Amino acid sequence: MLNSSKDNELFSRIQESDHDAFNQLFLKFYKPLLLFSNFMVEDEEAKDLIADLFLDIWEKRESLSIHSSVSAYLHTALKNKAINSRKRKDRNICIDEAELSNLQADSFTSPDRLLMAKEFDKQIQHYIALLPERCRMIFLLNRDNKLSYQEIAQLLNVSLNTVKTQMFRALRFLRHSLFQNEPSSRTPDNF
């Protein structure tokens, strides 16, 4: 019960926009949530779902209320995210074969789509360049070089938690910058 009250205290501090409390909660629950989610989804998707979960918590911190233990809330919310992700994938797979055969190959490579894809790629590269050097390096080692968090920690001689925190900050910054109506003027360090 003592652990639960500490978690509730951390959550209360998060609701008051305490970044340190948020980082503590993330570091405390990251590994258990990753183990839990690996039963439902693949490892990389699990990492993304956890990042999304914590991003949601931070964005909704002022209005969010937890009626159970923080641990139970996090596990339930992650399970729901995994279920929703699976449903979206299943819907995408269920494209009728007749519709698929009717699609024209040039519809995938129309000039408009190519231009949009190039513009989006330029935006992504721009925001990645805005990441602090260490954060950008960790992000690119994971995404481009496909190194695991453990491999990155060993390569850079930093703790695994440092890698997890930097990846979380990078993903949070990129998601916010790319998918909000206006670009973020904030950096991952002050996010």
Side-chain angles (χ1 to χ4, degrees):
M1 196 59 149
L2 180 64
N3 221 4
S4 181
S5 66
K6 284 184 180 180
D7 295 343
N8 289 338
E9 180 186 324
L10 280 176
F11 187 76
S12 294
R13 289 173 44 205
I14 290 168
Q15 289 180 305
E16 296 168 2
S17 300
D18 184 328
H19 291 274
D20 186 49
F22 181 79
N23 286 337
Q24 287 178 40
L25 190 75
F26 176 79
L27 292 174
K28 177 178 182 179
F29 284 101
Y30 181 83
K31 189 170 184 178
L33 289 172
L34 186 60
L35 292 172
F36 174 71
S37 61
N38 278 331
F39 289 106
M40 299 176 283
V41 295
E42 306 237 349
D43 189 51
E44 287 305 311
E45 184 179 1
K47 292 173 185 175
D48 289 342
L49 290 175
I50 293 168
D52 285 342
L53 171 62
F54 278 93
L55 179 61
D56 288 348
I57 289 171
W58 184 255
E59 289 177 343
K60 298 173 185 173
R61 67 190 174 277
E62 293 171 356
S63 62
L64 196 61
S65 62
I66 295 179
H67 302 290
S68 60
S69 73
V70 173
S71 177
Y73 172 82
L74 291 172
H75 282 82
T76 302
L78 185 59
K79 179 181 80 170
N80 291 338
K81 281 191 170 294
I83 290 169
N84 290 336
S85 174
R86 174 59 56 202
K87 285 180 184 176
R88 277 192 304 276
K89 283 182 181 175
D90 289 347
R91 260 188 304 227
N92 290 339
I93 291 172
C94 291
I95 293 176
D96 186 36
E97 284 185 14
E99 285 181 46
L100 191 57
S101 65
N102 290 334
L103 289 175
Q104 299 294 323
D106 61 311
S107 71
F108 290 109
T109 57
S110 71
D112 289 344
R113 286 183 184 232
L114 287 174
L115 182 60
M116 286 173 42
K118 285 182 182 178
E119 286 299 316
F120 190 66
D121 189 51
K122 280 173 53 175
Q123 269 190 309
I124 291 170
Q125 297 307 319
H126 168 75
Y127 288 119
I128 289 173
L130 293 177
L131 293 169
E133 184 178 346
R134 168 107 351 157
C135 188
R136 182 176 56 246
M137 182 187 318
I138 289 171
F139 178 80
L140 292 174
L141 285 171
N142 178 256
R143 294 301 162 130
D144 291 349
N145 297 357
K146 307 293 186 221
L147 295 180
S148 70
Y149 288 7
Q150 184 65 44
E151 291 169 326
I152 295 169
Q154 290 171 349
L155 179 68
L156 299 179
N157 199 26
V158 296
S159 74
L160 183 59
N161 285 338
T162 298
V163 173
K164 290 176 186 176
T165 300
Q166 291 298 315
M167 280 299 293
F168 175 76
R169 286 180 178 167
L171 290 170
R172 178 176 59 182
F173 174 73
L174 292 172
R175 281 191 184 103
H176 184 271
S177 298
L178 290 167
F179 299 112
Q180 297 300 320
N181 289 339
E182 39 189 77
S184 176
S185 60
R186 301 167 74 185
T187 65
D189 290 333
N190 66 6
F191 214 79

